[in-house]
Amino acid sequence: MTVSTERSEERGTGGLDPYAPNHSLSDVKSLYDACKSGDKEKIFKLHANCPELLSQNSNQCLLRIVESGNIDCYIAIESLLLKGKGKEERQQYIGNIRDTDNESVLHKACRSGSKDMYLYLSTTYSYLVASTDKNSLLEITSKLNKSDLYDIIEKEFEIKKK
């Protein structure tokens, strides 16, 4: 059984494209599992064997890596995927990544509870902060009892208001 893994760029939500090259379902599952666990070595190994697998699933992979909280893995894979893109293009690319619930990488960083991940994304991608609802981020961190992350978000959005 094979599944097409190229996502629709119009929505950026991970929809499958019926005209994309096919990969086995186990290849895609292995990639997603590696991303979810933040296993950088396994992701690079899968990429070496099948480079288009990662690029065709880039949005879903980045969302999963962010939620894993592994900042080193995220930066390595982000660098690989965004190589050759200018600053503006990088801002737009990362800013447009959304899951099926319309959550961005900032939402996923809050879900991971990783201050380092959140701070990296919010300082590197100012477009994300400007286009994200503060209350949704605060709600996530509040439910997870991440008061330190909650305070960071509060301060960050206060600074943006001034």
Side-chain angles (χ1 to χ4, degrees), residues 86-153:
K87 183 178 179 181
E88 190 73 24
E89 195 176 3
R90 292 170 73 94
Q91 288 280 333
Q92 195 168 25
Y93 185 90
I94 297 298
N96 288 329
I97 295 175
R98 296 280 187 267
D99 70 3
T100 55
D101 295 324
N102 202 33
E103 287 194 351
S104 71
V105 291
L106 275 184
H107 292 94
K108 298 300 183 186
C110 289
R111 289 194 186 289
S112 78
S114 171
K115 289 187 302 185
D116 291 338
M117 183 70 78
Y118 180 85
L119 288 170
Y120 171 78
L121 291 168
S122 66
T123 56
T124 306
Y125 299 103
S126 57
Y127 173 80
L128 269 174
V129 176
S131 65
T132 301
D133 174 40
K134 171 183 105 171
N135 292 329
S136 65
L137 299 178
L138 293 175
E139 185 179 330
I140 292 167
T141 55
S142 174
K143 285 180 182 176
L144 296 173
N145 287 329
K146 297 292 182 181
S147 60
D148 50 347
L149 189 52
Y150 188 97
D151 293 341
I152 290 169
I153 295 167

Side-chain angles (χ1 to χ4, degrees), residues 6 8 13 20 22-24 29-30 43 62 65 77-78 81-82 91 108 120 122 125 130 142 149 154 157:
E6 187 171 331
S8 169
T13 60
N22 291 326
H23 298 285
S24 76
K29 184 177 177 347
S30 292
I43 297 167
L62 289 174
I65 295 168
I77 301 305
E78 175 196 71
L81 290 169
L82 301 181
Q91 288 280 333
K108 298 300 183 186
Y120 171 78
S122 66
Y125 299 103
S142 174
L149 189 52
E154 277 284 352
F157 278 88

Side-chain angles (χ1 to χ4, degrees), residues 36-63:
K36 188 175 181 177
S37 65
D39 188 339
K40 180 172 60 172
E41 286 75 28
K42 187 171 183 179
I43 297 167
F44 275 111
K45 184 178 179 183
L46 288 164
H47 177 68
N49 292 334
C50 188
E52 68 277 2
L53 186 61
L54 179 60
S55 62
Q56 291 170 355
N57 292 281
S58 61
N59 289 4
Q60 292 302 312
C61 288
L62 289 174
L63 286 164

Side-chain angles (χ1 to χ4, degrees), residues 129 151-162:
V129 176
D151 293 341
I152 290 169
I153 295 167
E154 277 284 352
K155 288 176 188 168
E156 184 174 57
F157 278 88
E158 279 299 315
I159 291 169
K160 299 282 182 200
K161 279 187 187 178
K162 296 178 182 180

Side-chain angles (χ1 to χ4, degrees), residues 1-6 16 20-26 28:
M1 173 184 217
T2 60
V3 65
S4 173
T5 57
E6 187 171 331
L16 298 176
N22 291 326
H23 298 285
S24 76
L25 190 56
S26 66
V28 176

